[in-house]
Amino acid sequence: MSRVILLGSPGTKRAVYLEKGAAAAGVELEILDWRDFPGCLTELARAGERIFLKIDPPRWGSCCLKELERLTREYGQNLDRLSELGRTGRITFLNDPAVIKALLDKRDCKRLLAKAGIPVTEEVAVGREMAAGAMIGGETAAQGTTGGETAAGAMIGGETVAQGTTGREAAAGGMTGREAAAGGMTDRKADGGAASLFERLLETMERERVFQVFLKPNKGSGAAGVMALRYEPGRGQMVLYTCAAKDPETGRLVNTKRLRRFGDRQEIGFMAGQILAGDCIVERWYPKAETGGYSYDLRAVVLAGEPAFILARLSKGPITNLQLNNHPGNIEELGLCGEVWDRVKTVCRQAAGCFSGLGSVGIDILLEKGSLRPRVIEMNGQGDLIYQDIYGENQIYERQGEMMRAWRDQERSQ
């Protein structure tokens, strides 16, 4: 017996439109609820059954960036359980759970891409003191907390899209968060340590003459915790763009769906310091290509190794995620020549090809202003929900339905 199953959240747009895509391909899709996990593993472990399984992200209700650290860790553990179950050889995954987990780690993902010669948005040479062991409240960073486990702001479970980073090999060359603040954001001395980290960041930015950077939680998505910082040391001025905000009741950072601009040094220092004190990466802020007064980047969905859908994300600010009231754009209206599109599609194919067991992936692509050189911002193993597609032709999920049908037909022929 063969079954096609989605492990996800019934009633969400992801589930509803995948069901429609599967139905269009003549495939009956069963849905197992993440809320029943790990109990639903028994459904996947039935003797004698062969299964095609797609894994959607779980839905999380919390918007507190610190609370999401635990959720991300638990999610990784659940992916490990699914990987173990997959070793029975009876489950075919749309995306192998081990690959989904690997892509959640932006730093490691981008370093692998860079090793393969694929252009990425690079880390910048700031934070060498922190990489050597920052002093947080009198303790060395190495004595701290969760390091690679933290994922401040990882909105992996929502119906959102992604953001990401890193590329340089030399650990000494970047404020990578894992090295820079290997102690993580500890409750006991978060404020003092975070403020210290922020001041050190400014000092090294000035020394290295890098005045525009992005700060990003290593395991975040949906722009949660992402911050774009511009610093003018000569004038003593700075500006920070982010969709994070300080909760007036708890004093903690929470993720919102509105891009905000901050200009007060103390306020910026608190917010940026909280992100820096976790598993954070700092990358170069590249000027993006522009059209009609907007800057933009691209979201490509790659299916079975080939670009299947590309959307432009237009913004008046530096963060382009569509849920922040930014604008989707028709790529045909960007005026890009065939050579640029060939380069974009080649980068997508090469990036997807770096990971085995990856049937579907969302890739964010930056086009540098002027040269239009493409760079990978992030890869997201669950970045296939595009509203402009599901409310249009539903191409992405119909194509996934066809992949499910091909597997089913092959199973029946054996």
Side-chain angles (χ1 to χ4, degrees), residues 167-187:
R168 269 185 200 168
E169 277 304 302
M175 155 93 77
T176 61
R178 183 176 295 168
E179 299 92 344
M185 185 183 344
T186 59
D187 285 329

Side-chain angles (χ1 to χ4, degrees), residues 115-349:
K115 281 184 180 180
I118 298 170
V120 298
T121 48
E122 297 179 345
E123 289 179 294
V124 294
V126 297
R128 292 193 178 94
E129 299 91 341
M130 301 163 197
M135 297 296 292
I136 302 178
E139 301 177 7
T140 61
Q143 292 176 306
T145 179
T146 57
E149 293 294 336
T150 58
M155 292 296 290
I156 298 167
E159 295 185 337
T160 58
V161 288
Q163 199 81 358
T165 179
T166 91
R168 269 185 200 168
E169 277 304 302
M175 155 93 77
T176 61
R178 183 176 295 168
E179 299 92 344
M185 185 183 344
T186 59
D187 285 329
R188 58 188 184 279
K189 295 186 175 69
D191 290 343
S196 175
L197 289 172
F198 177 66
E199 292 302 324
R200 293 184 186 196
L201 170 63
L202 295 183
E203 291 170 4
T204 45
M205 284 177 66
E206 185 170 356
R207 184 177 66 247
E208 300 291 339
R209 301 191 62 77
V210 176
F211 303 121
Q212 295 189 149
V213 296
F214 270 87
L215 316 180
K216 300 179 179 181
N218 184 40
K219 294 182 180 178
S221 75
V226 173
M227 299 181 176
L229 174 66
R230 179 179 292 121
Y231 177 44
E232 299 182 51
R235 301 172 59 187
Q237 294 182 349
M238 63 185 67
V239 62
L240 183 79
Y241 300 89
T242 184
C243 60
K246 186 176 181 180
D247 188 295
E249 295 183 2
T250 65
R252 292 187 172 190
L253 286 185
V254 296
N255 190 51
T256 71
K257 292 189 176 182
R258 181 169 70 86
L259 187 62
R260 302 161 189 268
R261 183 182 186 278
F262 298 90
D264 179 75
R265 182 187 182 105
Q266 184 175 359
E267 193 170 24
I268 293 173
F270 168 80
M271 300 180 69
Q274 299 300 304
I275 300 301
L276 286 168
D279 184 17
C280 171
I281 48 183
V282 177
E283 67 173 357
R284 190 175 303 277
W285 176 347
Y286 293 84
K288 296 179 179 179
E290 297 180 349
T291 184
Y294 292 90
S295 62
Y296 69 90
D297 58 21
L298 306 173
R299 160 56 65 92
V301 177
V302 179
L303 300 176
E306 286 295 321
F309 190 93
I310 302 178
L311 178 77
R313 306 187 302 181
L314 284 66
S315 176
K316 291 289 188 179
I319 302 176
T320 58
N321 295 70
L322 295 179
Q323 77 272 19
L324 302 180
N325 294 320
N326 291 319
H327 306 286
N330 189 325
I331 59 173
E332 296 177 356
E333 298 176 359
L334 298 177
L336 301 177
C337 67
E339 183 181 354
V340 172
W341 284 122
D342 288 344
R343 290 200 299 264
V344 168
K345 292 176 182 178
T346 296
V347 165
C348 288
R349 294 186 188 102

Side-chain angles (χ1 to χ4, degrees), residues 6-16 19 31-36 56 59 159:
L6 169 68
L7 176 58
S9 301
T12 62
K13 293 180 178 64
R14 289 179 178 274
V16 168
E19 271 192 300
I31 301 179
L32 296 182
D33 197 326
W34 266 114
R35 291 175 296 184
D36 297 330
D56 269 354
R59 298 186 72 189
E159 295 185 337

